[in-house]
Amino acid sequence: MKFTFDRDTMIKEIGIAQEIISTKNVGSILSNVLLSAQNNSLTIKATDIKVNFETQIPVQIEEEGSTTVYCDKFMSILNSIPDGEIEFDQSASEGDDAGITVLIKPVAKKVKFKMKSMSQEKFPDFDSAENVPYFDVPSKDIKEMISQTSFAVSEDETRYFMNGVFIEKKGDNLVMVATDGKRLSFSSKNLLSGVSDFPAAIVHPKILKTILKHSPLEGNISIAIVEKMIFFRFGNYKFGSVLLEGQFPNYERVIPAKQEHSFQVNKEDLAGALKRVSVMVDKNAGRLYFTVSDGVLKVASQASDMGSADEDIPCEYVGQSYTLALNYRYVDEPLRVIQGDRITFEFTEEMKAVTMRPEPAADYFHIIMPMQKE
């Protein structure tokens, strides 16, 4: 196999492949990227078994063929070479895979790299993404929904059914939900008019974060959800991921039908107070106190041997004073993705669920379970 490619174009695609490949499989075929040169196009594939990536770039082919190379080392070579055209030449000697060598050299530079390759025959087959029922949704909307939910996924591997984002079709709405049992993030958008029903799915956050990072701001993304797999297509990219198994919790039970009290604050005021008060927050406990009274929200850290901090910010509220003990992260992370200038908190009692949402209300919100006061 022999072809010539543009260095910057290749770096972009190998960079995505690096994100997909598992760092736990160094030395195995899963640490390699598959390169297949045919019809003046190079197909690039990478996988960690659970998440698959495929793309194509134009190249000038002298001899067609396929092989796999160690992804990280290939990327290091590319990064060390100046911009321009690079020649990739695989020559096989008699014997096993150890005798297969790839020569990589810039066309305009007197330097060359030799690296071993492994046969493409050992590279895992991808589940087919060709004959599955795709539907199109605006890329901007999917990126918003992922950013509004994926941070709330549980990291507890014993509760594997909460280690992903739940996706389902409800009428014409696409719904995404994530929870770790102590908080819940919900997003729903009317995107599925005319789309056939598809099975509800629990999607690993790795594939969603990849889509969030690399999908375009404009245009559409094609999505297909079938038994055990989800597929994404946009531009020259194809992604696939194995779905998580298990029964996702009944999230609708967690969402309060009605809450008695609410207060509103300016988003920038709250973000500034959190940043300052968090300096004295115990990072292990993460406990933060919100005391709301007429016209004032006091944000305070829990007193400790190191000291404490508190700050008063204006709020829209009239009524009895309440103190809510909340996990700092559970307030800060939603705050980073809520759009608009005003934030509303809704609650009924100090130890019952708190709803955090933009003001005015939008198509997403966050539920936070208060902590015990100490």
Side-chain angles (χ1 to χ4, degrees):
M1 178 170 70
K2 186 176 182 180
F3 60 89
T4 303
F5 62 90
D6 176 70
R7 178 249 191 195
D8 288 349
T9 302
M10 182 70 81
I11 280 182
K12 179 183 176 184
E13 313 303 354
I14 298 302
I16 299 175
Q18 273 188 311
E19 297 172 16
I20 300 299
I21 287 172
S22 173
T23 57
K24 298 179 181 179
N25 292 292
V26 175
S28 79
I29 194 69
L30 294 180
S31 64
N32 283 26
V33 61
L34 172 66
L35 305 176
S36 180
Q38 288 184 321
N39 301 320
N40 284 326
S41 179
L42 182 72
T43 298
I44 302 169
K45 292 184 178 183
T47 184
D48 69 353
I49 296 299
K50 294 181 180 179
V51 178
N52 305 327
F53 165 63
E54 179 179 340
T55 188
Q56 289 184 328
I57 61 172
V59 294
Q60 298 176 6
I61 298 176
E62 290 188 37
E63 183 180 344
E64 295 185 343
S66 297
T67 193
T68 77
V69 293
Y70 182 40
C71 185
D72 282 355
K73 190 62 66 177
F74 186 36
M75 188 64 162
S76 296
I77 291 171
L78 294 174
N79 282 327
S80 73
I81 296 174
D83 297 347
E85 295 292 302
I86 298 174
E87 187 178 278
F88 185 105
D89 186 4
Q90 181 192 48
S91 58
S93 59
E94 293 184 3
D96 57 17
D97 291 345
I100 301 177
T101 302
V102 170
L103 185 68
I104 301 168
K105 60 180 181 178
V107 172
K109 199 81 173 174
K110 293 183 178 180
V111 59
K112 60 184 177 182
F113 299 85
K114 290 182 179 180
M115 64 183 301
K116 302 296 184 182
S117 63
M118 295 176 66
S119 170
Q120 72 279 5
E121 294 177 1
K122 298 180 179 181
F123 197 82
D125 290 330
F126 285 8
D127 287 297
S128 175
E130 299 304 320
N131 299 313
V132 292
Y134 282 93
F135 57 90
D136 290 343
V137 292
S139 178
K140 177 177 178 290
D141 290 324
I142 286 297
K143 289 167 79 77
E144 286 180 356
M145 295 182 76
I146 294 172
S147 67
Q148 290 159 0
T149 55
S150 58
F151 62 85
V153 165
S154 173
E155 297 176 354
D156 182 355
E157 295 186 0
T158 64
R159 308 175 80 181
Y160 57 89
F161 50 87
M162 294 196 300
N163 291 164
V165 176
F166 182 70
I167 297 180
E168 69 172 342
K169 182 178 185 290
K170 297 203 76 172
D172 289 342
N173 280 23
L174 180 65
V175 176
M176 289 191 185
V177 185
T179 181
D180 64 4
K182 297 176 182 177
R183 60 171 168 176
L184 179 144
S185 290
F186 175 95
S187 181
S188 176
K189 290 183 183 291
N190 190 317
L191 304 175
L192 302 180
S193 177
V195 174
S196 301
D197 289 346
F198 54 81
I202 307 174
V203 184
H204 197 285
K206 179 177 179 177
I207 183 69
L208 294 178
K209 289 175 182 177
T210 300
I211 300 304
L212 179 62
K213 181 176 179 180
H214 296 289
S215 58
L217 292 174
E218 304 295 335
N220 288 338
I221 293 179
S222 298
I223 304 174
I225 299 176
V226 295
E227 186 180 1
K228 297 185 178 181
M229 289 292 297
I230 185 169
F231 299 100
F232 297 88
R233 294 190 310 199
F234 53 89
N236 61 322
Y237 297 129
K238 297 178 184 178
F239 294 91
S241 178
V242 176
L243 297 174
L244 299 179
E245 298 181 355
Q247 184 66 42
F248 196 79
N250 184 351
Y251 66 86
E252 292 179 321
R253 287 185 180 180
V254 180
I255 301 172
K258 182 181 179 182
Q259 290 173 292
E260 300 296 327
H261 312 291
S262 69
F263 61 91
Q264 293 86 42
V265 294
N266 179 274
K267 180 180 176 181
E268 287 190 7
D269 289 346
L270 180 58
L274 283 178
K275 181 178 180 179
R276 288 181 284 273
V277 172
S278 68
V279 172
M280 301 304 292
V281 169
D282 182 328
K283 295 301 185 284
N284 293 321
R287 190 175 280 100
L288 199 69
Y289 293 110
F290 276 27
T291 300
V292 61
S293 55
D294 289 350
V296 177
L297 173 67
K298 181 185 287 293
V299 181
S301 67
Q302 181 180 357
S304 69
D305 293 340
M306 298 297 294
S308 64
D310 64 74
E311 182 172 341
D312 291 350
I313 60 174
C315 76
E316 293 182 24
Y317 177 79
V318 176
Q320 178 183 341
S321 177
Y322 290 93
T323 297
L324 307 169
L326 303 175
N327 186 300
Y328 163 75
R329 278 183 55 215
Y330 292 1
V331 178
D332 181 62
E333 290 177 341
L335 186 63
R336 294 173 184 269
V337 299
I338 289 179
Q339 300 171 7
D341 298 327
R342 303 286 290 173
I343 307 287
T344 288
F345 289 85
E346 299 172 336
F347 65 100
T348 297
E349 298 177 15
E350 292 180 337
M351 288 307 298
K352 289 192 175 180
V354 176
T355 301
M356 182 179 176
R357 63 169 177 80
E359 179 62 41
D363 49 17
Y364 62 97
F365 55 81
H366 309 277
I367 306 292
I368 305 170
M369 293 306 298
M371 306 173 74
Q372 292 286 344
K373 298 177 188 177
E374 290 188 3

